Every structure is written in C-alpha cells, then in structure tokens.
C-alpha cells in the first residue's frame, strides 16, 4: 500500500484514504477502467495529466517536422497522404487535450504551458527534418515506435486516455504503412534515393533509440505507473520490441543501422545495442535540442496569431456582436 | 442541346477550349489546395487546422480529376502536369496564388469567395452538354458543398463577433475581392464552350456568383467593395510573384530526379 501524503487526503482521514486507495487499486487489479468522476489518488491524476499532456504536446509539435515537407511532396499521392497524415496528428492532439481536460486542466492552459516551455514533448521532435527522406523515416520508424508505446498504454487503467489511444493506434498503423511504402520506394529507387534514405536513418537512429525513454535502471517514473496500470511495460521492454520488429526490416531494405554493436542474441531473444546517450536525451527534452526553441516558437506564433479567432468565437458564443453599418 | 458523350465527339476548336478550361479548373484547385495545406499544423485552433487540411486534400483530389481528364485528352499525366510546368504555363486566377502570409482572415475569406464560385461553376457544368465533365462536376460539387457551408458559417461568425474580427474580415474582403473577380476572367475559350453548351460565359457566371455572395457578406456586416477592379491575367499565364515561389516549393523534390519514383 502506498502511504498517503498529507496533501492527498483532501479532508479524508488516513483510514478513509487507505480504504479508498485499496478499493481503487482493487478495481485496477480487476482490469476495470477508472473514469473521470471516480475517486483517484492525486498522484494518479497528476501522473496521468503529465503523460497525456506530454503526449498531446508531442502530437502537435510532431506535426511540424513533417508539416514542413508538405509543400515539397513530390507527387499527388504523397502530397495528399502527407497532408492526411499530419492532419491525423493534429487530430490526435485534439483528442488528447480533451482526455487531459477530463482530469482538470483546460486545453488553453495546456497549450500555454507548452509555449511557455514549461511542459515537455517527445525527444524526437526536437530534431530537424532535413530532407524528404526524413519524412519517410519519421512515418515508418517513429510512428512504429509510437504504436508500441501507445498500444501498450491503450490497455491502461484510465478510461478516456485508453479509449483515445485505441483510435490513435488505428490511425498510426496507417501512417506506419505509408512510411514503410515511402521507405521501400526510395530504398528500391535510384542510388541517390537510397543514399538519401540511409542518411536520414543515420540522423534519426540515435533519437529513435531514445524514444521510449531512459533505461529502466535510471527511469524515475516507471514503478508507480506500472502499479497503477498506467504503463504496462518498461522502457527497455518497449525498446526491445521495437528492435525486434524493425531491425530485420531495415536490413531487408539494404540499409545499415548506424550502431556497430547491434546484434540479436537468439538464445535470450534479446537485442544488444550501444546504450544511448541519456545525457543528450535529458538535455534535449528540457529544451536543449537543435530544434527545441524553433518548435516552441512556431507553436507560440500559431497560438498568438489565432488569439483573435478564439476571442471572436467566445464572443459569438456569448451572443455579443458589433453594431453593424446599415444594409442600405 | 444534344449531350456530348465522349471527348472524341468534340471539334478541334471545342476540344482546345476544353483543354484551356480544364487547366484553369485544375490549377485553381491545386494551388488553393497547396495554400490550404500550408496551414496544416499552424492554424488558429486545432479544429480549423483539421478543416483546412481536409479542404486541402479535397482540392488536390479535384485537381487530379481535372488533370486526369486532360491526360485523356492527350496532355501529360497528372504528376507531370502539376510538378513540371513553369509559372507562365499555369492558368490559375491570382486569388489562389496569393501567399497566406499568416493571415487566416484572408485565407478564410478567400476560401469562401472561391467556394461560392465553384458552386456556381460546377452547377453550370453539371447542366452542360459534355457528359464526362458533368459527371465529374456532380461528384466534386457534392464535396464542395461542405466547404461552402464551412466558409459561410465562419464569415458570418467572424464578420459579426468582435471589433477586431470585423475589422480583419473587412480588410481581407477589400484585399481578396478584386482577385476573386479574376476567377471570371473572360478567355478565348468562352465562345466555343458556350456554343457547344458545355459552360456558360464567364460574365454570366460572375453575375450568378455576385448574387450568391452579396447576401452573405451583407449578413456578416461586411461592406462589399463596389468599385473593385478585377485582377485579370492568371488565365493567360500572368501571375503574381507568389506563384513562382509556391511552385519552387512544390517542385523542389520532384525536380531532384523527375524520372525517379517517389
């Protein structure tokens, strides 16, 4: 049993708190979903807000490196598919901010926290997308890595988040196919296209290896998240699953993984790899990545440019209107 | 007038006029679709980000339909048409070429004025004699209907909401209106297309459009620019500089290797 911290009691006696917590944990252990109106420990609420917020931020910031290439997409098919893909990511942000709202904070507050640099987004979106091939690698491998994480989280204990993730995973599966198809086309295309793709993989490999978060040895959040079924697998387990699923396919495309130590141990079914630079990870997610400032500045610009629209919507909803010049 | 079942039944003169019309229709859709897609990830609210992305996809899809018809008429395939032509070979009106400039009021109003013109034009094409074009127009109109509803409701809302939103929409209207009139630039194709019963004259379409948009603008409390001079030139390949930079953006990857599959 987790001991109640004073500020969590919310007027409950310690006995009452322990009783509710036991009931809450029993429900989770029976596989029931926790719903917005249900009692939950503050820490559960705060952890979920943090996770969903970071996830929503990542969707909206993740729209930027790919969105940048929409104007440059080289065929009708790619252009329309990429608009649809990035549109989905924005839609995911909308769904997720809504899921976070069920726990308290408003979308406006959550977005303002992002553009003030007070909340995080996924490490991978702090890096630049330099060529068209980056779009292919992002859609295939980052969406692929995200599915591993999100499919797991969609079995989690909080109802609104789990349901949002079910739908998100369904769409991400399309993105991954679209990404693979782009990678396949370039890998089997001209020599220059193959090189462009390899260079993109070289750039993205390290950030992707960090995508599932710090190694279990150093990750601070995992234990409690697992106990409350917010998270069902550790970061390292997810990374192993990613390698298992994708490295053989990368080799099939005659691409090289830029990690000489990578190998699969058949007996233990375990991948060996060079430990990512976790200092870089921490620096990047705290806003020290090559595109961190740029992403936030872009989101801020979009938000500020839209201020008048949101004000107008609020006024229209309140039924106010400006005096009109006469129609004649 | 008797329906024309196939492109093969067209006279050379009508056929050339049809090619010109299809380039105008397709280029308007492609360029506006591109402009709308520039909002993806950056629109004022998430819901409109999604809406502009949807309209972008629809418009690109419509462009493809028109280009496919051009291909059937002996022109290059749709990707070659879209990604390899020079600015002066484009036939879009200046309205769609103008840069977004982070100005959502302008883009929204442009979209409304454009969708209203589409409705008028597509309705005319549906009633026209050329069967394959009438069929395509019916399908496209069924999607454009939603664009127009979207634009109309936003124009009404923003025109009347706050002083600032009214001001922004009014400024956008003054800016966009002459270019919207440019959608109806008369061309040498008017005569043969009208004679064949495929499409009415541009001036007729313009009249219909004006009577469709005027009441909405009035209800939105926006003053219609009475003396606006139509911005012509797009239909004969004279474009604002903004189209050149748009096409540079659009064609940059394609031109790395036009023979490659992407």
């Amino acid at each position: 049993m987790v001991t109640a911290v004073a500020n969590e009691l919310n007027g409950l006696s310690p006995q009452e708190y322990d009783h509710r917590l036991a009931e809450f944990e029993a429900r989770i252990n029976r596989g029931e979903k926790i719903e917005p109106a249900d009692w939950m420990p503050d820490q559960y609420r705060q952890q979920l807000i943090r996770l969903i917020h970071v996830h929503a931020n990542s969707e909206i910031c993740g729209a930027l490196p790919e969105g940048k290439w929409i104007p440059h997409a080289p065929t009708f098919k790619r252009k329309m598919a990429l608009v649809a893909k990035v549109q989905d990511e924005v839609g995911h942000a909308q769904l997720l901010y809504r899921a976070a709202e069920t726990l308290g904070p408003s979308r406006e507050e959550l977005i303002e926290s992002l553009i003030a640099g007070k909340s995080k987004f996924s490490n991978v979106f702090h890096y630049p997308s330099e060529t068209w091939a980056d779009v292919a690698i992002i859609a295939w491998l980052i969406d692929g890595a995200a599915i591993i994480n999100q499919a797991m989280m969609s079995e989690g204990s909080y109802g609104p988040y789990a349901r949002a993730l079910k739908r998100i995973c369904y769409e991400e599966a399309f993105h991954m196919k679209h990404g693979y198809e782009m990678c396949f086309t370039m890998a089997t295309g001209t020599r220059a296209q193959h090189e462009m793709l390899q260079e993109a993989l070289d750039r993205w490999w390290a950030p992707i290896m960090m995508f599932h978060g710090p190694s279990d040895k150093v990750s601070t959040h995992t234990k409690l998240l697992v106990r409350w079924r917010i998270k069902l697998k550790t970061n390292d387990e997810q990374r192993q699953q990613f390698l298992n699923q994708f490295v053989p396919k990368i080799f099939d495309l005659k691409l090289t993984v830029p990690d000489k130590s990578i190998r699969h141990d058949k007996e233990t079914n375990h991948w060996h790899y060079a430990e990512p630079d976790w200092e870089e990870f921490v620096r990047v997610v705290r806003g020290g990545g090559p595109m961190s400032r740029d992403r936030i500045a872009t989101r801020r610009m979009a938000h500020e440019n839209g201020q008048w629209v949101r004000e107008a919507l609020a006024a229209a909803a309140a039924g106010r209107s400006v005096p009109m010049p006469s129609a004649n | 007038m008797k329906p024309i079942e196939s492109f093969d039944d067209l006279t050379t003169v009508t056929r050339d006029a049809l090619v010109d019309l299809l380039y105008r229709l397709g280029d308007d859709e492609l360029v506006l679709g591109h402009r709308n897609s520039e909002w993806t990830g950056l629109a004022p609210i998430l819901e409109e980000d999604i809406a502009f992305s949807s309209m972008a996809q629809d418009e690109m899809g419509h462009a493809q339909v028109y280009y496919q018809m051009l291909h059937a008429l002996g022109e290059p395939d749709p990707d070659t048409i879209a990604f390899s032509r020079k600015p002066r070979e484009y036939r879009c009106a200046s309205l769609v070429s103008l840069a977004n400039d982070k100005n959502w009021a302008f883009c929204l109003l442009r979209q409304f004025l454009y969708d209203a013109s589409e409705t008028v034009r597509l309705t005319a094409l549906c009633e026209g004699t050329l069967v394959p074009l009438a069929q395509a127009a019916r399908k496209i109109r069924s999607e454009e209907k939603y664009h127009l509803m979207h634009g109309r409701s936003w124009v009404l809302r923003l025109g009347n909401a706050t002083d600032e939103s009214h001001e922004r929409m009014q400024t956008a209207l003054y800016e966009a209106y002459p270019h919207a009139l440019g959608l109806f630039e008369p061309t040498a194709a008017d005569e043969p297309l009208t004679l064949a019963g495929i499409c009415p004259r541009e001036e007729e379409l313009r009249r219909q459009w004006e009577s469709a948009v005027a009441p909405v603008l009035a209800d939105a409390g926006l003053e219609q620019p009475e003396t606006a001079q139509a911005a012509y030139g797009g239909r004969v390949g004279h474009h604002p500089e903004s189209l050149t930079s748009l096409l540079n953006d659009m064609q940059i990857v394609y031109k790395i290797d036009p023979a490659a599959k992407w």
Side-chain angles (χ1 to χ4, degrees):
Chain A
M1 178 80 52
V2 177
T3 319
V5 284
N7 64 0
E8 267 201 337
L9 294 176
N10 288 331
L12 301 176
S13 71
Q15 291 79 5
E16 176 68 5
Y17 179 87
D18 285 349
H19 175 70
R20 289 211 183 176
L21 183 63
E23 215 169 76
F24 168 82
E25 293 196 336
R27 286 186 64 194
I28 288 179
N29 289 335
R30 287 197 298 272
E32 288 176 31
K33 299 288 182 212
I34 306 300
E35 297 299 334
D38 297 346
W39 185 89
M40 62 186 83
D42 265 5
Q43 232 184 327
Y44 178 83
R45 183 185 299 276
Q46 295 313 326
Q47 287 288 359
L48 269 168
I49 293 174
R50 181 183 66 83
L51 272 175
I52 303 173
H53 190 188
V54 170
H55 188 177
N57 289 346
S58 301
E59 298 282 359
I60 192 76
C61 289
L64 302 176
E66 288 181 282
K68 171 188 161 183
W69 284 93
I70 291 173
H72 312 307
T75 69
F76 262 107
K77 179 178 159 186
R78 297 298 183 217
K79 201 172 175 73
M80 289 162 72
L82 190 57
V83 177
K85 198 256 187 204
V86 181
Q87 177 188 36
D88 284 348
E89 310 297 2
V90 176
H92 298 170
Q94 184 199 20
L95 271 177
L96 291 164
Y97 284 126
R98 184 75 200 95
E101 280 183 325
T102 64
L103 293 158
S106 69
R107 186 205 284 184
E108 194 79 2
E109 286 172 300
L110 294 165
I111 290 178
E112 273 166 13
S113 150
L114 168 67
I115 61 180
K118 288 180 188 160
S119 58
K120 296 193 174 89
F121 57 95
S122 174
N123 76 302
V124 286
F125 303 125
H126 292 258
Y127 294 87
S129 52
E130 291 180 14
T131 70
W132 173 251
D134 291 37
V135 173
I137 292 289
I138 292 173
W140 183 34
L141 296 180
I142 293 183
D143 286 51
I147 291 173
I148 289 172
N149 176 255
Q150 292 163 14
M152 168 208 51
M153 304 278 269
S154 75
E155 301 298 324
S157 61
Y158 188 58
Y161 189 33
R163 288 187 289 273
L165 285 171
K166 290 265 186 234
R167 180 169 157 191
I168 290 173
C169 283
Y170 183 71
E171 293 184 351
E172 298 287 4
F174 275 106
H175 300 171
M176 192 177 78
K177 282 183 194 151
H178 138 96
Y180 178 72
E181 209 245 350
M182 275 199 280
C183 286
F184 181 84
T185 306
M186 291 186 76
T188 56
T190 65
R191 181 192 285 262
Q193 285 176 306
H194 190 278
E195 273 170 25
M196 197 194 250
L197 188 65
Q198 178 66 56
E199 284 164 11
L201 179 62
D202 292 348
R203 277 194 295 280
W204 284 96
W205 185 254
I208 288 172
M209 284 299 283
M210 297 180 207
F211 177 82
H212 290 107
S215 157
D216 300 339
K217 285 163 265 173
V218 291
S219 178
T220 47
H221 297 300
T222 300
K223 232 176 174 175
L224 198 59
L225 297 182
V226 171
R227 178 188 177 95
W228 284 339
R229 287 183 68 84
I230 293 172
K231 193 168 165 179
L232 290 93
K233 283 178 193 159
T234 67
N235 296 347
D236 284 339
E237 283 169 345
Q238 295 175 59
R239 206 166 1 255
Q240 285 293 329
Q241 191 182 338
F242 172 80
L243 293 168
N244 236 342
Q245 189 179 339
F246 289 97
V247 175
K249 291 199 176 80
I250 291 172
F251 291 157
D252 282 350
L253 294 182
K254 308 270 184 296
L255 294 167
T256 317
V257 170
D259 173 358
K260 288 202 170 60
S261 64
I262 197 135
R263 70 181 175 84
H264 184 236
D265 185 332
K266 280 205 177 108
E267 278 177 23
T268 57
N269 192 25
H270 187 87
W271 285 87
H272 294 272
Y273 53 84
E275 193 63 27
D277 179 354
W278 295 116
E279 281 175 26
E280 173 177 331
F281 175 82
V282 171
R283 188 172 67 246
V284 163
V285 294
R286 285 186 182 158
M291 292 300 283
S292 308
R293 277 163 184 271
D294 198 276
R295 299 279 181 252
I296 298 214
T298 305
R299 286 311 316 161
R300 186 183 303 125
M301 180 275 289
H303 192 68
E304 285 170 1
N305 273 348
Q307 184 67 27
W308 71 273
V309 179
R310 293 188 299 279
E311 281 169 13
L313 275 180
R320 277 192 288 127
S321 63
V322 287
M324 285 301 119
S326 73
N328 46 15
Chain B
M1 258 190 205
K2 219 174 123 216
I4 309 167
E5 299 291 342
S6 150
F7 293 147
D8 296 335
D9 303 332
L10 297 167
T11 65
T12 315
V13 175
T14 317
R15 190 185 171 94
D16 288 350
L18 175 66
V19 166
D20 183 74
L21 173 66
L22 290 171
Y23 270 114
R24 282 182 269 145
L25 293 170
D27 291 350
D28 277 353
E29 292 277 47
L30 176 65
V31 174
L32 187 60
H34 182 104
R35 285 294 182 218
N36 286 344
S37 79
E38 290 176 328
W39 281 107
T40 304
L42 301 171
I45 54 172
L46 298 178
E47 287 73 8
E48 282 309 295
D49 209 297
I50 295 165
F52 268 71
S53 298
S54 282
M55 292 191 292
Q57 290 167 65
D58 286 348
E59 278 143 8
M60 289 171 193
H62 301 164
Q64 223 176 356
V65 170
Y66 294 127
Y67 291 163
Q68 205 67 58
M69 263 186 245
L70 281 168
H71 191 41
L73 284 158
E75 298 293 299
D77 66 89
D79 279 338
T80 309
I81 290 179
F83 294 92
S84 69
R85 273 180 306 153
K86 295 181 175 62
R88 66 167 187 280
E89 295 170 289
Y90 267 76
R91 290 294 175 267
C92 47
S94 57
L95 182 73
V96 296
S97 299
L98 297 175
N100 294 354
D101 238 355
K102 296 176 189 160
N103 185 344
W104 199 68
F106 172 77
C107 291
L108 187 73
L109 199 73
R110 161 167 69 188
Q111 188 67 36
F112 166 70
L113 297 175
Y114 177 80
D115 288 334
S117 85
E118 277 274 81
T119 304
V120 163
R121 193 181 292 277
L122 290 167
T123 303
L125 293 177
C126 289
E127 290 158 4
T129 49
L130 185 57
V131 176
L133 184 57
Q135 280 167 348
R138 258 190 289 282
K139 184 160 184 307
I140 292 173
R141 192 174 58 167
S142 69
E143 291 183 5
E144 292 288 351
K145 186 170 79 181
Y146 297 101
H147 297 194
L148 186 61
M149 280 164 66
H150 170 265
R152 187 175 175 279
S153 71
W154 272 99
V155 167
L156 289 173
R157 203 159 15 176
L158 292 178
N160 287 314
T162 62
D163 290 347
E164 185 181 2
S165 72
H166 174 78
E167 185 64 37
R168 281 178 187 263
M169 294 301 281
Q170 185 65 65
T171 308
L173 181 58
Y174 281 128
E175 196 185 336
Y177 205 84
H179 297 282
L181 294 175
L183 289 165
F184 306 101
E185 176 178 347
T187 76
D190 283 12
E191 181 87 17
L193 290 172
T194 312
L195 285 176
I198 294 172
C199 181
R201 284 175 195 284
E202 293 297 314
E203 60 195 69
E204 169 56 26
L205 295 174
R206 172 175 162 167
R207 264 195 298 278
Q208 292 178 19
W209 173 82
E210 281 169 332
S211 41
V213 297
V216 180
L217 296 175
D219 282 352
L222 298 171
E223 188 185 304
Q224 200 169 331
E226 301 253 319
T227 55
Q229 198 69 43
Y232 287 156
R235 303 312 193 190
V236 288
H238 300 142
H239 301 287
E241 188 54 36
S242 48
L243 182 68
T244 305
S245 45
L246 180 147
L247 292 177
N248 285 340
D249 275 349
M250 195 166 89
Q251 300 176 346
I252 193 167
V253 175
Y254 176 88
K255 284 185 174 168
I256 293 174
D257 186 350
K261 265 187 72 185
W262 292 96

